[in-house]
């Protein structure tokens, strides 16, 4: 799960090169499914953060 979260952060960094200057509509959150669980996340370019909102193991 940690590896998938790291990939998500790298993708957000590449897509929003200067997050603090981003003025567009904020992207919606999404779910990422990984072996053994899933997590819900939200990307906030202006905060330059990816927030994991929920982590579920099964």
């Amino acid at each position: 799960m940690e590896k998938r979260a790291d990939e998500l952060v790298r993708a957000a960094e590449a897509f929003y090169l200067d997050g603090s200057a981003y003025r567009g509509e904020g992207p919606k959150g999404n779910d990422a499914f990984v072996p053994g669980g899933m997590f819900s996340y939200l990307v906030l370019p202006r905060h330059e953060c990816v927030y994991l909102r929920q982590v579920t193991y099964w």
Side-chain angles (χ1 to χ4, degrees):
M1 191 159 308
E2 184 178 340
K3 182 179 176 182
R4 178 70 167 117
D6 287 340
E7 291 172 4
L8 179 63
V9 170
R10 284 194 302 274
E13 285 176 333
F15 192 73
Y16 303 105
L17 293 176
D18 187 8
S20 61
Y22 182 75
R23 297 292 176 246
E25 186 174 316
K28 297 192 183 330
N30 207 347
D31 297 326
F33 294 92
V34 295
M38 63 164 283
F39 59 88
S40 297
Y41 64 90
L42 180 62
V43 177
L44 295 178
R46 282 176 264 171
H47 292 189
E48 297 183 338
C49 290
V50 175
Y51 293 100
L52 296 181
R53 301 183 315 159
Q54 179 180 355
V55 177
T56 305
Y57 293 100
W58 54 71

